[in-house]
Amino acid sequence: MASGVAAVWVPVSDMQRAVAFYRDTLGLTVASESDDWSEIDANGMRLGLNARESATPSEGGGAVVTFQPDGSLEDEVADLRSKGAEFTGDISDHPWGRIVPFTDSEGNDLQLYAPPQG
């Protein structure tokens, strides 16, 4: 049985580029940084950036990290696009909320999520 989440980490090919994406594009705080492992503070949750053993990106699968936007999804998408973020789909509406998918600098899947209103 699990008692909680110990860590969430994503593989990266270029640590400096990945740290810059999470810090400069997403506006998160870098808690620690090294060539092999860096940690990003995502509103109290630590997101680990783990250097790949090979520089070849993986194909599909893996965790999807979902972030809460500071403002509306539309405003956040516009802001992130202006900073170079690549979106892989449009905002979609669901009974459980709204999401929009994008990727980080290393090709990892990310999302913005807004809970349903009302």
Side-chain angles (χ1 to χ4, degrees), residues 20-55:
F21 177 85
Y22 285 89
R23 180 190 60 226
D24 302 337
T25 303
L26 295 182
L28 299 172
T29 302
V30 177
S32 66
E33 183 177 352
S34 75
D35 291 339
D36 296 326
W37 176 264
S38 297
E39 289 188 4
I40 306 299
D41 182 350
N43 194 26
M45 187 204 75
R46 292 295 172 114
L47 178 64
L49 306 179
N50 188 47
R52 293 183 192 273
E53 291 185 17
S54 77

Side-chain angles (χ1 to χ4, degrees), residues 9-15 17-18 35-37 49-62 104-109:
W9 62 269
V10 294
V12 303
S13 299
D14 183 323
M15 187 62 73
R17 178 178 64 200
D35 291 339
D36 296 326
W37 176 264
L49 306 179
N50 188 47
R52 293 183 192 273
E53 291 185 17
S54 77
T56 309
S58 64
E59 293 293 327
D104 71 6
S105 60
E106 308 305 297
N108 293 301
D109 292 324

